[in-house]
Amino acid sequence: MNKHVLFIQGGGGKEDYAADANLVASLQEALGETYLVHYPFLPNESGLDFGRKKQIGKHISLHKGEIILVGHSLGASMLLKYLSEIKTRKKIAGVFLISTPFWSGDEDWKQGFKLHKNFADKLPKHIPVFLYHSKDDKEVPFDHLEIYAQHLPKATVRKITSGGHHLNNDLSMVARDTKSLSKS
C-alpha cells in the first residue's frame, strides 16, 4: 500500500505550478514507488488567502488514512496557517516546509497570509515538522528560517548552503527525512 504525500505549490499561477512540478518530480523519484505524491493545482481565488485554507482542507480530506504534507514557499506558509487555524482529524505523519516566507507587516495584501502570534501553540503537537531553506534564496530571505526555528524549537531545521529558492530542484534531502518517519 502506498504512502500518500500532498505537495502544496508555491505561488498561485500556472507558471508557479509548472516551476514546482520539478520539485514534485524530484521528490517522487527520490521517494520511490512506495510513496505517491499528489500535486493538485491550487488557483488563486478571491479572498485574502487566495482560498488556500479551503483548498488545502479539501485536498487533505480526499485522502484516506495517514498523509504527509509538503509545501513550497507560499504553499508552505499556507500549510502552517491551515494547521494552526483549522482542526483536522486526519492523521498527518509529518510536515515538510521548503523556502517558507514569514509574513509580517501591515500591508493589506499580506493579512490573509500572516500567522497568528501564537500559531506554534495551535499546531498539533505530535506531528514532526521539518524546515528547509537555502542560504542563497533570492525570493525568501534566509533569516525567515531563523524566525520559524525560534517559533518551532522542536522542528528539524535544514540549512542548505546553495540551491536557491527551489533547492536546485533536488528534494532528495526531503525524501530522506520523509522515509525516516517510518523508521521511528
Side-chain angles (χ1 to χ4, degrees):
M1 185 149 96
N2 287 359
K3 296 179 183 179
H4 293 273
V5 177
L6 177 61
F7 191 104
I8 303 298
Q9 75 192 56
K14 292 191 184 240
E15 288 178 15
D16 297 315
Y17 182 77
D20 280 3
N22 294 321
L23 291 172
V24 173
S26 169
L27 182 60
Q28 182 65 72
E29 182 178 337
L31 287 172
E33 295 176 4
T34 311
Y35 292 82
L36 183 57
V37 180
H38 303 271
Y39 184 44
F41 174 62
L42 305 181
N44 288 342
E45 296 179 356
S46 61
L48 291 176
D49 74 349
F50 296 151
R52 285 299 185 273
K53 286 192 311 187
K54 179 181 79 172
Q55 293 169 344
I56 290 168
K58 173 187 165 198
H59 288 286
I60 288 174
S61 71
L62 291 175
H63 299 281
K64 292 181 171 49
E66 187 175 70
I67 191 164
I68 297 161
L69 301 175
V70 180
H72 175 246
S73 196
L74 174 65
S77 64
M78 294 311 293
L79 272 176
L80 277 176
K81 187 164 181 66
Y82 176 84
L83 291 170
S84 65
E85 294 180 10
I86 309 288
K87 295 236 186 257
T88 180
R89 296 186 190 279
K90 182 64 66 179
K91 184 165 187 209
I92 299 169
V95 177
F96 300 83
L97 307 169
I98 304 159
S99 305
T100 313
F102 188 86
W103 302 98
S104 61
D106 295 325
E107 297 93 334
D108 287 342
W109 68 270
K110 291 182 181 177
Q111 300 314 304
F113 306 138
K114 288 172 63 174
L115 296 165
H116 295 289
K117 285 186 180 186
N118 64 341
F119 81 92
D121 297 334
K122 304 289 185 183
L123 293 172
K125 304 292 182 234
H126 64 284
I127 301 173
V129 175
F130 293 77
L131 304 167
Y132 306 84
H133 210 117
S134 178
K135 292 179 181 179
D136 66 350
D137 187 334
K138 300 216 183 310
E139 293 183 44
V140 177
F142 183 71
D143 65 350
H144 288 210
L145 177 67
E146 295 301 326
I147 296 168
Y148 279 115
Q150 289 173 1
H151 284 281
L152 302 167
K154 292 183 180 179
T156 300
V157 177
R158 305 282 190 222
K159 297 176 183 181
I160 301 161
T161 304
S162 65
H165 190 60
H166 285 88
L167 307 183
N168 288 330
N169 290 318
D170 179 2
L171 294 189
S172 56
M173 181 183 301
V174 177
R176 279 191 301 276
D177 288 337
T178 301
K179 290 177 178 180
S180 76
L181 294 176
S182 60
K183 296 175 184 171
S184 44

